[in-house]
Amino acid sequence: MAARKDEHGKPAEVGVLLRIFDWNSGGAAEDTVTPAPGEGLYARVADDITHTSLPYVDLLQAPPAMASLPKSRGYLPFAFSFDSRYGNQEELAGLIHVAGQNGIGVVGDVVSDQAVAKRYPLELGPYTYARKHHLPFGLTPECIYADRGGTGSASKAPGLKRIFPGPAELDHSNPTVRGRVRRRLGGSLEGFGIVGYRTDFAVGIAPEHAREELAGVDAPVRIAEHWFDYDPNDLGAHRSELQARAIKGNTAVYDVTTMAALREAMKGHSVGPNGETAVDTKTSDLRRLVDRHQRPAGLNGIAPELAVLVVENHDTGPSTNRHNETHATAHGQQHWPMAGVWVAAGYAYTLLHPALGAEVYAPHYFDWQSHGDGPHRGKKMRDELTQLFKLRKEAGIGPESTVEVLSSKKGLYAARIDGPQGGSIFVKLGWEDWSPDSAGQQGAILAAHGLHYAVWKANEAPTALASIARKLH
C-alpha cells in the first residue's frame, strides 16, 4: 500500500496505480457497445483480486463514486452517493476491504470542477447552467462562473488554458464551493477507507484553492489532473508550467508532458479493420523522449518526485481491445489515443523510469492481447505488464532513481536506470537493434521483451563511483 506522506506533507509515493475502469465500465442503458457494459464493476474487480491478488499492484484508481447523469459515467455529478453505475455502497466497501487484505490501497476520483441538476438536458451543453435547474450540494448561482450562467466570478479559473469549451463550472474562489469539496474529501470519502485522491480536471481549479481544499485531509496520495495545450517543439515550457502547478497545489500530477513526448515520438498508422496499427517509421522519432541535456523530456526529467507517468486513460484511449480481432471499432472517447502498436513500449518507458509512480489503464491490463509478429503475439498484455511491474519492484525504481540515456536516435532509445538501493536495468525502445553489450555494458540478462521494447537486468549493482559518474553525466 502507498506510503504515508512525510513530515513536510509532500505527495506520497504512488508505485503501480491500476485504473480499474474505462469509459464504458459503468455505461448507460442506451449505450450500444460490445461487450455490453455491465454494472457491478466493484464486485468484478474484488473477485479478480481474490483469485489473482493483482501481483505488484500498489493502488487501484476507482471511478467517481457519485450519482451522476448516466452518459457522464460519474463526471457530471448531482448528489453525494456511493451508489453509482459502477456498483452500490456495499460493493465498494467490499472492494476496499479485499484490496486492503492484499496490501493494495484504493484512490478516489474527486469531481469538483462541475456539477449539474439531476435532470439536466445534456443537449443544452453540460457546462452551461440554466437557473431554472436546481443546483445540488447546497450550491447557489453565486457558486457558478458568470460565463457558465451563474453569478460568480466573470470567467473560468485563472490560468486555464483551452482544450475544449467547458470546465470549470464551479467557481472555487467562492468559499462555499471549497467548503463543499472539503466535506466530500474529509468526511464522506476519507471515512470510507480511501487512501488518496485524483482530482479530476484540476487545471480548471486555481492551485491555491485546490491546496486549501486538501488541507487537513489525511489520505496521503494526492494526484491532480492538469490538461493544457503544448507546443511539440517546446515541451520544456509545458513541463515547467506543470511543475509550477504541482508545487502550488502541493500535489503530484499526471505527467502530461511525458504523454506528449511519447505521442510525438511514437507514431503509427492503421493497417487493419479492427484498429491494428503499424509503426510509422517516417514520422516516429524517439529523440523526442529526451531534452537537450539528455534528460527525460517530461516532468520526470526535472521533478520525478511530482510526476505520475501515464500512457492512456478513459479520456485519451479506447474502451475495448483493438487487437484481439473481436471488435470492429474501438469504443470510448479516444480524445488523444496512443498508437496501439506502441502501447507496450510506452509502458516499458513509464513503468521503468524515475517517477513517483505510473498508472496502468484497465483495458490494457484486463482485456488486451499482445500483438505483432513475434512470439508474444496473442498472449495477454496483462502478463507483459506484470513482468514490468516485477522488474520495477526488484530494481527499486521510484522518484529517487537515476537515468542515463545511452542512445537516442530516430529509431532507437536506450537508457540505464539505477534504483536507489543499487538495482539497475536497461530499457531499449524502437525498431533498431541494440543490447547492453553493444554499449559496453557486459553481462546484463534479458528480463522482458515485447513489440518494440526490451529490458535487461544488470547482473551486478553499480559501484558508488559509477553511480556518481552517471549522476554527473
Side-chain angles (χ1 to χ4, degrees), residues 90-392:
E90 291 72 25
E91 290 170 329
L92 177 57
L95 171 61
I96 293 172
H97 176 71
V98 170
Q101 285 185 318
N102 287 270
I104 301 172
V106 177
V107 177
D109 195 338
V110 178
V111 182
S112 57
D113 55 307
Q114 59 212 33
V116 297
K118 186 172 184 179
R119 298 188 180 279
Y120 194 91
L122 278 176
E123 61 271 15
L124 295 181
Y127 304 107
T128 301
Y129 164 65
R131 297 186 194 180
K132 65 181 179 180
H133 299 300
H134 178 69
L135 283 167
F137 311 120
L139 301 174
T140 61
E142 291 77 17
C143 300
I144 307 298
Y145 285 110
D147 65 356
R148 292 291 176 265
T151 59
S153 298
S155 61
K156 299 181 290 298
L160 177 62
K161 292 185 178 294
R162 182 192 61 79
I163 282 190
F164 58 91
E169 182 185 21
L170 298 186
D171 180 2
H172 286 252
S173 68
N174 188 313
T176 299
V177 173
R178 300 198 298 274
R180 293 294 186 273
V181 174
R182 283 198 302 274
R183 171 191 163 197
R184 176 68 172 165
L185 296 177
S188 303
L189 281 175
E190 196 167 320
F192 210 69
I194 298 293
V195 303
Y197 304 104
R198 167 198 181 271
T199 304
D200 180 65
F201 213 79
V203 72
I205 305 169
E208 58 269 25
H209 294 151
R211 187 181 189 120
E212 178 186 335
E213 290 162 0
L214 289 166
V217 172
D218 190 48
V221 178
R222 305 185 300 276
I223 310 171
E225 181 191 38
H226 294 282
W227 292 96
F228 48 89
D229 290 338
Y230 70 93
D231 179 349
N233 297 312
D234 185 16
L235 289 180
H238 188 274
R239 72 177 178 182
S240 293
E241 181 171 350
L242 191 59
Q243 179 186 27
R245 294 188 71 91
I247 293 171
K248 289 179 182 178
N250 194 32
T251 66
V253 292
Y254 288 111
D255 191 347
V256 184
T257 314
T258 290
M259 289 186 76
L262 289 170
R263 279 157 175 73
E264 293 299 327
M266 300 174 171
K267 303 289 188 179
H269 58 84
S270 178
V271 294
N274 296 304
E276 299 93 337
T277 53
V279 169
D280 189 334
T281 57
K282 291 183 178 180
T283 58
S284 294
D285 189 346
L286 298 179
R287 289 173 293 187
R288 289 183 174 271
L289 296 178
V290 299
D291 65 13
R292 61 188 179 92
H293 300 292
Q294 289 297 96
R295 301 173 300 187
L299 177 63
N300 69 323
I302 58 172
E305 72 280 2
L306 299 175
V308 177
L309 300 176
V310 59
V311 173
E312 204 84 277
N313 68 22
H314 66 288
D315 289 320
T316 69
S319 294
T320 58
N321 183 352
R322 286 181 286 186
H323 303 286
N324 66 0
E325 301 177 346
T326 61
H327 301 287
T329 58
H331 302 281
Q333 299 198 92
Q334 300 192 86
H335 290 312
W336 196 26
M338 182 82 164
V341 71
W342 281 112
V343 163
Y347 280 113
Y349 182 95
T350 59
L351 288 165
L352 300 178
H353 275 67
L356 201 63
E359 182 172 282
V360 176
Y361 183 40
H364 298 156
Y365 185 82
F366 293 109
D367 302 325
W368 277 40
Q369 291 181 11
S370 302
H371 56 289
D373 295 326
H376 48 277
R377 180 178 176 86
K379 296 181 179 179
K380 292 182 179 179
M381 184 172 282
R382 176 173 181 159
D383 296 336
E384 280 191 73
L385 292 172
T386 299
Q387 180 63 13
L388 295 177
F389 299 169
K390 181 174 183 287
L391 290 170
R392 176 190 176 90

Side-chain angles (χ1 to χ4, degrees), residues 51-74:
H51 288 90
T52 70
S53 78
L54 298 188
Y56 308 109
V57 172
D58 298 295
L59 297 169
L60 302 180
Q61 175 62 66
M66 302 181 76
S68 66
L69 294 187
K71 289 184 178 180
S72 75
R73 278 71 170 185

